């Protein structure tokens, strides 16, 4: 009951935050000197055409009027029409979001699968060689630029050795699965297209690793740090004194508590992965939200920029909320007020 | 606990191994019938609707899916030839054009192509909202109000276009060869109209043309895929059945895909990648002059010095053209100083300006600017013609002009912001690439020479009435020696007096797999998939 009330209150607050986000992005995207009509029509267009299109898009109206129109449409679930591809922004987002969710989820799984065990090993072997190796690995993840890792791995595993496929979600000779969720691997699984599933998974490996490596570094460091702290606590000593096996002490008693800060990192990183996989998506030609966002910004496609920002804000808020709810599960001391 | 962990690790390993094993995949057409092009600019594509298409990313596929009344012979952009029209008559005053259509041409739907489809297609161009390509047609006096009176179909195989004012057949026919004038299947398109959109929403993801290919799939910013048109009968059926255009932003990745055979053509290779590719036996480098130019514009009002023709000439003498082409472009460009590029009617091969700093200095002194002056140069963030960075090119210009005493402050801003300033006549100096719209001298002479067009000359506050008159005169003439003589005069006047220093004409350089044979490409017809074959 407490939890439900908490979620409801947070949802209400989120609405305020989102309204603020629309206002700020709206104002910013209209006061920047870049001109959407010039970006759309290009250099050759005669002035009369520029004026005509400005009128057609509604950019000749006063700014407050444009905002009121935007908000009115938004309440009807209408995110506007993209300037660049003449399509409803909602349709564009529906196309690009699934690919990003697929990639980010795979990356998150990679990050957790690598990060938590590495962090645990690192803490248990503190200052010995496994710890040193793990720390260098983690440092690499957080400090090597994503595009560098991406191009390096592509150059070796794809170009030189040919072990893994190149960019894209599927090879061009692979029959794509029917469109169900928009996530190619999931669609292939649901429709039983095994060749497509295998190809989709092969294509996922490199980008998911590149994107997940950064977060893996963060998770490793977080897990290591908090596990070391927890292992010093009294109740761990008590558990050991009771004669419990070391594995049980570490994994059941210590790790569960040590994971609290890690969960925060995971939740927020997942939010940022969903919104910020720009470089990975660009290099791997992944048809996701990150690339859509960059293209929209470059071409000053205001409706698209506003739409993407709003979606990212919603994702962030949801990730935050999910983290808070998870806390309750992991730590009974947390109470919602 | 330990067992569970072990099972988990094993499962992960097995899964990765299963996924990592390459396997044979189903495909409609094999690699011999499929051509894959890696191109980093597909995210420009606004639409696949041919009557709206304006960017290369959309006109390349539209060119394969749709036919036009007339087209250009390969490698000869001064000679139009029939496509859907069998023949045409031009009235003596160059105002009435009558096209006689071929019989038996069909669309991919099976519907016959008639004069009504041509009329409907031109109506679409001038009526579609937000149409960046519409000015190509409206500049001839055909707009949404006049279209029904000017474009008519007296019978199913005749189209008569009666222009309100004369328009040179050279220019007029080359506009009709542009993908914007593609003929769409009016019956099919009309059946898919929603909310008075002229079928635009539907035509974005479907095709309705009579070209050799049809649209299979357009994944925005990702790929464009074309398949064969089963009813194509305008020529021999091509052996290539499937064209896949992939948006690959990084040229390193394009190069790797070419190396692995995942791409047959790489579009954006850098000058050094091109040079390295020449030494590899599995690929060849295809080069052809692009109908484009890189220019430096000087505002004759905002900077007092540029108001003097002598100073403008001094700038043109101060620039080291050969150095730019040799060192920056590593050969990926060719000298050009007239305003009409090589390959078009009216091109002027003689080059009045060579790198001559001494001459530049004396011209500056004569004009009363012996101590030099300062100006601000606006450049965009995009890659410039020939694949070089705008900042690098601007640095070279700054250096060259600095050597004769002209101090340049370079300001790099977003392209659209720069255009806004430029369009508002508020720039001091600009550096930009200008691309061809239709392969006729008129497409260059008008923006560069005629300020009444409110294009480039006007943006730089350069008004020259005799020049405007000459340009206007040539725009109404047949391609005769007299028209050529006028363009020669236009080129000379622009060189001696005009506010533009033309830096170079870029080359298109493509990395191509040797599996591709009969590779033809030109900057107007693009790839010729009709004759292309693959091993």
């Amino acid at each position: 009951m407490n939890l439900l009330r908490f979620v409801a209150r947070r949802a209400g607050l989120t609405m305020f935050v989102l309204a603020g986000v629309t206002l700020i992005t709206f104002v910013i995207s209209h006061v920047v000197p870049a001109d959407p009509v010039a970006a759309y029509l290009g250099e050759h267009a005669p002035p009369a055409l520029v004026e005509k299109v400005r009128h057609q898009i509604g950019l000749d109206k006063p700014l407050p009027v444009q905002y009121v129109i935007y908000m009115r449409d938004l309440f009807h679930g209408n995110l506007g029409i993209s300037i660049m591809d003449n399509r409803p922004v909602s349709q564009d987002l529906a196309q690009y979001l699934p690919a990003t969710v697929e990639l980010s989820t795979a990356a998150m799984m990679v990050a957790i699968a690598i990060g938590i065990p590495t962090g645990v090993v690192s803490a248990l072997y503190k200052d010995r060689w496994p710890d040193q190796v793990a720390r260098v690995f983690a440092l690499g993840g957080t400090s090597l630029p994503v595009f560098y890792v991406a191009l390096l791995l592509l150059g070796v595993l794809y170009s030189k050795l040919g072990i893994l496929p190149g960019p894209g979600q599927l090879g061009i000779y692979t029959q794509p699965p029917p469109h169900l969720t928009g996530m190619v691997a999931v669609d292939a699984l649901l429709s039983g297209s095994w060749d497509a599933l295998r190809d989709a998974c092969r294509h996922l490996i490199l980008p998911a690793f590149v994107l997940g490596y950064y977060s893996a570094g963060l998770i490793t460091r977080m897990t290591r740090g908090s596990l070391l702290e927890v292992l010093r606590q009294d109740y761990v000593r008590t558990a050991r004194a009771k004669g419990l096996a070391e594995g049980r002490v570490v994994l059941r008693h210590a790790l569960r508590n040590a994971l609290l800060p890690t969960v925060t990192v995971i939740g927020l990183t997942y939010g940022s992965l969903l919104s910020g996989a720009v470089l990975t998506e660009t290099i791997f030609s992944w048809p996701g939200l990150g690339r859509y966002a960059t293209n929209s910004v470059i071409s000053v496609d205001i409706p698209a920029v506003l739409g993407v920002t709003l979606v990212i804000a919603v994702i962030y808020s949801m990730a935050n909320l999910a983290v808070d709810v998870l806390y309750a599960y992991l730590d009974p001391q947390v109470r919602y007020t | 606990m330990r067992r569970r962990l072990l099972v988990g690790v094993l499962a992960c390993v097995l899964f990765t191994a299963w996924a990592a094993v390459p396997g044979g995949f189903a495909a409609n057409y094999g690699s011999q019938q499929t051509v894959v092009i890696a191109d980093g600019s597909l995210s420009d594509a606004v639409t696949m609707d041919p009557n709206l298409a304006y960017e290369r990313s959309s006109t390349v596929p539209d060119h394969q899916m749709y036919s036009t009344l007339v087209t250009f012979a390969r490698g000869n952009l001064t000679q139009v030839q029939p496509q859907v029209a069998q023949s045409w008559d031009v009235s003596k005053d160059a105002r009435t054009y009558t096209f006689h259509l071929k019989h038996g041409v069909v669309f991919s739907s099976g519907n016959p192509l008639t004069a009504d489809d041509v009329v409907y297609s031109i109506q679409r161009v001038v009526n579609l909202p937000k149409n960046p390509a519409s000015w190509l047609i409206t500049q001839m006096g055909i707009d949404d109000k006049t279209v029904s009176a000017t474009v008519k179909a007296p019978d199913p195989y005749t189209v008569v276009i009666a222009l309100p004012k004369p328009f040179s057949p050279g220019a007029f026919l080359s506009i009709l060869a542009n993908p914007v004038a593609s003929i769409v299947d009016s019956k099919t398109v009309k059946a898919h109209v929603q909310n008075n959109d002229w079928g635009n929403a539907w035509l974005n993801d479907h095709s309705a043309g009579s070209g050799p290919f049809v649209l299979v799939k357009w994944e925005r910013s990702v790929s464009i895929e074309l398949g064969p048109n089963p009813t194509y009968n305008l020529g021999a059926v091509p052996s290539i059945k499937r064209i896949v255009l992939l948006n690959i932003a990084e040229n390193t990745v394009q190069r790797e895909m070419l190396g692995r055979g995942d791409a047959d053509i790489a579009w954006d290779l850098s000058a050094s990648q091109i040079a390295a590719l020449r030494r590899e036996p599995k690929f060849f480098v295809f080069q052809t002059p692009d109908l484009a130019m890189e220019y430096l514009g000087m505002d004759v009002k905002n900077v007092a010095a540029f108001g003097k023709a002598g100073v403008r000439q001094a700038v043109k003498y101060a620039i080291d053209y050969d150095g730019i082409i040799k060192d920056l472009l590593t050969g990926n460009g060719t000298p050009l100083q007239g305003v009409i590029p090589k390959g078009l009617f009216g091109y002027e091969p003689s080059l009045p300006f060579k790198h001559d700093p001494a001459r530049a200095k004396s011209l500056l002194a004569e004009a009363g600017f012996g101590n030099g002056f300062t100006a601000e140069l606006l450049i965009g963030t995009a890659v410039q013609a020939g694949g070089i960075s705008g900042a690098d090119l601007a640095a070279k210009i700054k250096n060259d002009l600095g050597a004769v005493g002209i101090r340049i402050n370079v300001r790099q801003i977003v392209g659209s912001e720069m255009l806004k300033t430029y369009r508002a006549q508020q720039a001091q100096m600009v550096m930009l690439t200008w691309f061809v719209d239709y392969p006729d001298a008129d497409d260059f002479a008008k923006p560069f020479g005629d300020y009444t067009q409110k294009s480039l000359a006007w943006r730089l506050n350069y008004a020259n009435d005799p020049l405007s008159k000459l340009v206007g005169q040539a725009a109404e003439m047949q391609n005769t020696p007299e028209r050529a003589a006028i363009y020669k005069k236009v080129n000379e006047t622009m060189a001696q007096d005009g506010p533009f220093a033309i830096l170079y004409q870029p080359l298109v350089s493509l990395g191509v797999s040797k599996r591709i044979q009969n590779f033809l490409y030109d900057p107007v017809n693009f790839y010729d998939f009709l004759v292309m074959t693959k091993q």
Side-chain angles (χ1 to χ4, degrees), chain A residues 33 175 274:
Chain A
Q175 194 70 44
L274 278 169

Side-chain angles (χ1 to χ4, degrees), chain B residues 88-232:
Chain B
W88 53 90
D89 314 309
V90 185
S91 68
K92 276 217 179 72
D93 61 0
R95 284 179 62 171
T96 308
Y97 289 76
T98 309
F99 295 91
H100 308 283
L101 308 193
K102 288 178 184 167
H103 288 241
V105 179
V106 288
F107 289 109
S108 54
S109 63
N111 291 336
L113 188 160
T114 67
D116 286 336
D117 297 302
V118 179
V119 173
Y120 180 73
S121 301
I122 297 177
Q123 285 173 345
R124 285 190 89 237
V125 176
V126 295
N127 275 295
L128 281 170
K130 291 204 305 181
N131 189 347
S134 62
W135 68 271
L136 287 165
I137 301 290
T138 56
Q139 67 165 338
M140 299 188 286
I142 306 173
D143 60 29
D144 51 347
K145 290 172 195 75
T146 60
V147 66
S148 50
T150 47
V151 186
K152 285 182 176 151
D155 68 65
Y157 293 98
T158 309
V159 175
V160 179
I161 303 180
L163 298 174
K165 61 176 186 189
F167 210 84
S168 164
F172 181 79
L173 295 172
S174 67
I175 291 169
L176 288 189
N178 187 290
V180 72
S182 294
I183 302 160
V184 299
D185 179 350
S186 61
K187 283 200 191 74
T188 305
V189 174
K190 280 176 187 166
H192 290 96
V193 170
Q194 345 162 344
N195 319 321
N196 296 324
D197 75 342
W198 291 81
N200 169 244
W202 185 80
L203 264 189
N204 269 334
D205 296 291
H206 304 82
S207 61
S210 53
F213 293 90
V214 295
L215 185 63
V216 172
K217 195 169 65 177
W218 173 32
E219 272 195 80
R220 284 146 180 85
S221 296
V222 182
S223 66
I224 301 164
E225 189 179 330
L226 309 182
N229 169 7
T231 66
Y232 178 67

